[in-house]
Amino acid sequence: ELKVEQNPLFLSMQEGKNYTIYCNYSTTSDRLYWYRQDPGKSLESLFVLLSNGAVKQEGRLMASLDTKARLSTLHITAAVHDLSATYFCAVEETSGSRLTFGEGTQLTVNP
Amino acid sequence: DVKVTQSSRYLVKRTGEKVFLECVQDMDHENMFWYRQDPGLGLRLIYFSYDVKMKEKGDIPEGYSVSREKKERFSLILESASTNQTSMYLCASSSEAEGEYEQYFGPGTRLTVT
């Protein structure tokens, strides 16, 4: 059974600081997704990582994938208040299209 | 843009009622999914479908059933609602086409069972 774990689950940081969210998963997979969810809203796709060593960047967020370590990171650079949200990683099983989600990381960026 | 819509944003039902949650996508996607989201548990897959009239159990199918009579529509059915089914329900769809991988999510239905 595929398990996906994120840490930290809660993250409070100051504007301008850097931080990393970690996503570990338990079985082989070549596809990993990062989503953002604002309070009361649905999930918005941020990144799709398709192979070992994949790195993608959008604004102050950068995601990477190490399939050998079964680890993805979401790095936040110089955080701003608008990044406050819950971030989920999700791993696709090799046998199909279904995703297994992590518990989510609730990020609060304080002025 | 892909659009996934759900029939209700908020729903309040009584214990024992039969509840239908509807999801429609407009991008001709083959795959459709139903999740429930609870605090601290992330999203958990209830059922999914790869094609019309096809369904597969996810991780927590007990107490739920689904129907997919048309490609664009995927319904989640709670045969006899219980209070432990109070949750946020999210529908998603995705394509099988090469290069298209993401799941696109609907706005969610917050269901309260009293």
Side-chain angles (χ1 to χ4, degrees):
Chain A
E1 181 189 348
L2 174 58
K3 291 191 184 300
V4 181
E5 293 183 346
Q6 288 181 235
N7 74 84
L9 299 184
F10 298 92
L11 177 55
S12 180
M13 54 191 299
Q14 284 188 312
E15 280 191 329
K17 298 292 187 184
N18 305 331
Y19 210 86
T20 300
I21 299 170
Y22 297 89
C23 175
N24 291 91
Y25 54 98
S26 60
T27 63
T28 302
S29 174
D30 290 329
R31 290 186 195 168
L32 190 138
Y33 304 78
W34 284 95
Y35 286 89
R36 168 181 172 145
Q37 186 179 39
D38 292 296
K41 301 288 180 70
S42 190
L43 274 72
E44 172 192 353
S45 178
L46 291 175
F47 300 110
V48 180
L49 302 171
L50 299 176
S51 60
N52 186 41
V55 177
K56 290 200 174 177
Q57 183 163 4
E58 180 74 33
R60 300 173 188 275
L61 299 177
M62 183 173 72
S64 65
L65 177 62
D66 181 344
T67 58
K68 293 178 182 176
R70 298 178 185 166
L71 171 69
S72 179
T73 60
L74 181 65
H75 187 72
I76 303 153
T77 302
V80 293
H81 180 69
D82 285 352
L83 290 179
S84 296
T86 299
Y87 294 85
F88 291 94
C89 66
V91 178
E92 183 172 328
E93 296 184 9
T94 53
S95 58
S97 304
R98 55 178 292 175
L99 299 181
T100 299
F101 281 79
E103 309 96 320
T105 297
Q106 187 176 319
L107 171 66
T108 304
V109 181
N110 302 304
Chain B
D1 280 350
V2 175
K3 194 168 183 183
V4 181
T5 57
Q6 295 182 228
S7 50
S8 305
R9 293 299 305 275
Y10 300 93
L11 210 51
V12 180
K13 295 291 182 181
R14 293 194 181 277
T15 302
E17 280 193 81
K18 191 168 186 176
V19 182
F20 293 87
L21 303 182
E22 306 284 344
C23 175
V24 177
Q25 49 93 6
D26 67 357
M27 284 300 291
D28 202 35
H29 282 173
E30 293 81 8
N31 307 321
M32 296 189 76
F33 307 83
W34 274 107
Y35 296 89
R36 64 177 281 176
Q37 182 179 13
D38 300 287
L41 297 176
L43 276 74
R44 293 179 291 167
L45 182 63
I46 304 171
Y47 267 97
F48 58 106
S49 170
Y50 290 136
D51 203 349
V52 176
K53 297 193 185 295
M54 231 221 66
K55 60 184 179 183
E56 295 281 346
K57 291 181 179 179
D59 298 318
I60 51 165
E62 296 78 19
Y64 304 94
S65 62
V66 290
S67 172
R68 194 166 180 199
E69 297 295 320
K70 293 184 178 182
K71 191 175 184 180
E72 67 271 18
R73 187 181 297 269
F74 192 35
S75 303
L76 180 69
I77 304 155
L78 287 66
E79 295 289 343
S80 178
S82 63
T83 55
N84 63 13
Q85 292 178 310
T86 291
S87 187
M88 169 72 91
Y89 290 87
L90 291 162
C91 174
S93 71
S94 70
S95 172
E96 285 291 322
E98 186 67 26
E100 307 248 349
Y101 305 108
E102 305 166 63
Q103 288 189 18
Y104 295 88
F105 283 82
T109 296
R110 186 165 293 282
L111 172 67
T112 303
V113 183
T114 61

